[in-house]
């Protein structure tokens, strides 16, 4: 089975070819065109600029990945494209391109939930197909969710943020520290030189008795701390301590909630995915905790943590294998959620 993946949910255009042979997925070719430089002067993603970049890059990227994979379009069995969640104007470019390719080639296309792609990326990183059940933690700029993955397309969201997503908290704190967008990698770099115990910051909802998160209080605590201690911004060491303390507060809550979900449900595998899972300190803390609890922990390799088309291609391959067919009436859905059996209605 050979699948083409197309991903344009936000500010990265990506096209990939993934093969599944003898129950093993392999990325034959992948390109990602990042728009960070285009959006950086504005401090965040500008939707119209993102749309134009997708439009410029998608067709030549498609031609290049086919060439790298040594294939023609007729070698593909399915075209998978991100249908949501994401920016409406960005999603429209990918979906329109996929529908046009499908019409021109007669190869079926499938709309894929971007979050389902993130959930599969830790397995793709290991070159294996997903096994079930597992607990997936998705941490990105727009999402913080704990998902009980019971089977292919059987998702139960058992924990999520009540306010900011983890990546959003990283980006907002970085902005307060005058660091460029995106702030996550900047904070991680500074945190390496800091003391995690230097500043006592809140671990919101740590003992709430459920699997909900809240990060806006942590962000506010840092704003108040900076107001009371403006000298921090002048000192590299103090900035490092603040970043390390912030990051530790995030790690403590993510670990407590994810592992308590696994223990309560008696599940032996946890996975970590989404853009924030590029963070080595977070990954190391998860792997250490998993070892102590004798639970398997799969983290996502950096190249597959941020938005990429390989994860979309692999989900499309599995859905195609299990009988999903194109739904030509399908539109983009910027607010698409993972719900139990969310795409079952597309099955014939
Ligand atoms: O999944 P993603 O590429 O985009 C979506 O949100 O869909 O995630 C981007 C987020 C940004 O908030 C960025 O600051 C964060 O991931 N991020 C990180 C790191 N690398 C990216 N956060 C913490 N540490 C990192 N190393």
């Amino acid at each position: 089975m050979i699948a083409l993946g197309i991903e344009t949910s936000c500010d990265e255009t990506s096209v990939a070819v993934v093969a599944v042979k003898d129950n093993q997925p392999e990325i034959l070719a992948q390109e990602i065109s990042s728009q960070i430089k285009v959006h950086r002067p504005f401090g965040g993603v500008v939707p119209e600029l993102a749309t134009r970049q997708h439009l410029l890059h998608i067709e030549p990227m498609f031609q290049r990945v086919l060439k790298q994979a040594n294939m023609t379009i007729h070698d593909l069995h399915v075209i998978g494209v991100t249908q949501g969640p994401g920016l409406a104007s960005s999603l429209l470019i990918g979906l329109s391109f996929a529908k046009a390719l499908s019409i021109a080639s007669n190869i079926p296309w499938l709309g894929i939930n971007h979050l389902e792609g993130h959930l599969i990326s830790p397995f793709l990183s290991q070159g294996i197909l997903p096994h079930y059940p597992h607990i997936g933690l998705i941490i990105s700029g727009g999402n913080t969710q704990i998902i009980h993955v019971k089977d292919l397309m059987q998702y139960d969201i058992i924990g999520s943020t009540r306010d900011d997503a983890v990546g959003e908290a990283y980006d907002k704190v970085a902005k307060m520290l005058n660091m460029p967008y995106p702030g996550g990698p900047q904070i991680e770099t500074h945190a390496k030189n800091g003391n995690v115990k230097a500043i006592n910051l809140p671990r919101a909802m740590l003992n709430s008795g459920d699997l909900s998160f809240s990060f806006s209080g942590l962000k506010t605590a840092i704003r108040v701390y900076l107001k009371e201690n403006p000298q921090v911004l002048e000192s590299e060491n103090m900035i490092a301590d603040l970043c390390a303390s912030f990051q530790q507060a995030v790690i403590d809550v993510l670990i407590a909630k994810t592992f308590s979900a696994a223990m309560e449900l008696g599940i032996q595998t946890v996975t970590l995915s989404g853009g924030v899972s590029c963070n080595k300190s977070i990954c190391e803390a998860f792997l250490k905790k998993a070892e102590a609890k004798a639970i398997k922990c799969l983290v996502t390799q950096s190249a597959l943590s941020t938005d990429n088309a390989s994860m979309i291609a692999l989900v499309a391959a599995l859905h195609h294998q299990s009988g999903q067919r194109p739904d030509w009436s399908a539109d983009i859905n910027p607010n698409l959620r993972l719900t139990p059996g969310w795409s079952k209605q597309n099955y014939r």
Side-chain angles (χ1 to χ4, degrees):
M1 161 87 64
I2 311 281
L4 180 81
I6 296 170
E7 157 63 39
T8 62
S9 66
C10 188
D11 60 341
E12 262 135 1
T13 319
S14 183
V15 184
V17 179
V18 169
V20 181
K21 199 176 163 203
D22 300 329
N23 278 332
Q24 282 184 324
E26 186 189 350
I27 300 171
L28 301 181
Q30 170 172 278
E31 284 211 5
I32 301 177
S33 167
S34 166
Q35 303 174 5
I36 283 181
K37 283 191 187 145
V38 175
H39 300 290
R40 186 166 273 166
F42 305 94
V45 178
V46 182
E48 189 192 325
L49 294 181
T51 310
R52 290 176 174 209
Q53 290 296 311
H54 291 312
L55 197 55
L56 283 175
H57 292 293
I58 195 161
E59 197 276 338
M61 287 173 83
F62 162 69
Q63 298 293 355
R64 284 197 300 269
V65 295
L66 274 189
K67 205 168 170 193
Q68 284 160 30
N70 208 10
M71 287 183 178
T72 72
I73 190 168
H74 301 291
D75 293 313
L76 304 172
H77 297 106
V78 63
I79 298 164
V81 60
T82 303
Q83 192 176 350
L87 283 175
S89 50
S90 289
L91 291 164
L92 275 169
I93 301 294
L95 192 70
S96 307
F97 188 73
K99 283 189 176 183
L101 268 188
S102 178
I103 291 168
S105 63
N106 222 10
I107 291 157
W109 72 277
L110 297 177
I112 303 299
N113 187 317
H114 179 80
L115 298 173
E116 210 176 357
H118 277 311
L119 281 174
I120 217 166
S121 56
F123 296 95
L124 180 57
S125 295
Q126 314 283 323
I128 56 174
L129 291 182
H131 52 256
Y132 307 101
H134 60 263
I135 296 289
L137 174 69
I138 303 179
I139 40 176
S140 70
N143 287 281
T144 302
Q145 292 184 348
I146 303 178
I147 297 137
H148 177 193
V149 186
K150 298 174 179 169
D151 204 341
L152 182 67
M153 282 174 294
Q154 291 301 318
Y155 303 105
D156 199 359
I157 298 170
I158 53 177
S160 53
T161 181
R162 296 207 173 160
D163 38 58
D164 291 348
V166 184
E168 203 178 347
Y170 266 92
D171 292 338
K172 287 178 177 168
V173 169
K175 211 168 185 176
M176 290 179 216
L177 297 171
N178 302 324
M179 293 172 184
Y181 167 86
Q186 309 281 334
I187 292 202
E188 181 182 16
T189 304
H190 283 84
K192 284 194 181 107
N193 305 319
N195 173 4
V196 296
K197 292 189 177 149
I199 302 152
N200 190 15
L201 293 168
R203 271 81 172 144
M205 307 195 75
L206 192 59
N207 301 310
S208 61
D210 62 14
L211 299 172
S212 301
F213 299 99
S214 167
F215 294 103
S216 72
L218 177 57
K219 184 188 65 188
T220 306
I222 289 181
R223 179 169 290 122
V224 170
Y225 182 82
L226 284 172
K227 205 170 174 194
E228 288 169 358
N229 303 278
Q231 73 282 8
V232 170
L233 292 174
E234 311 301 323
S235 156
E236 279 293 313
N237 288 342
M238 285 183 186
I239 288 178
D241 281 349
L242 184 58
C243 290
S245 302
F246 161 76
Q247 187 160 276
Q248 192 58 46
V250 170
I251 290 174
D252 286 350
V253 186
L254 292 178
I255 286 203
K257 302 272 173 171
T258 309
F259 283 90
S260 84
M263 305 301 277
E264 273 168 33
L265 292 165
I267 291 176
Q268 291 303 312
T269 305
V270 302
T271 70
L272 198 53
S273 62
V276 182
S277 73
C278 285
N279 187 299
K280 294 278 171 292
S281 306
I282 298 179
C283 290
E284 279 162 20
F286 265 77
L287 291 167
K288 200 169 155 201
K289 183 74 172 183
E291 200 180 347
K293 295 266 179 205
I295 283 179
K296 195 169 168 184
C297 178
L298 300 179
V299 298
T300 307
Q301 54 172 267
S302 296
L304 298 176
S305 290
T306 46
D307 295 347
N308 68 86
S310 293
M311 66 185 191
I312 303 302
L314 179 54
V315 175
L318 299 185
H319 284 201
H320 183 63
Q321 246 167 12
S322 59
Q324 195 176 353
R325 296 291 171 260
D327 173 4
W328 285 96
S329 66
D331 189 5
I332 54 145
N333 185 348
N335 301 312
L336 190 60
R337 290 172 185 275
L338 279 176
T339 51
W342 75 272
S343 53
K344 281 274 187 217
Q345 69 272 17
N346 294 346
Y347 279 62
R348 306 246 158 82

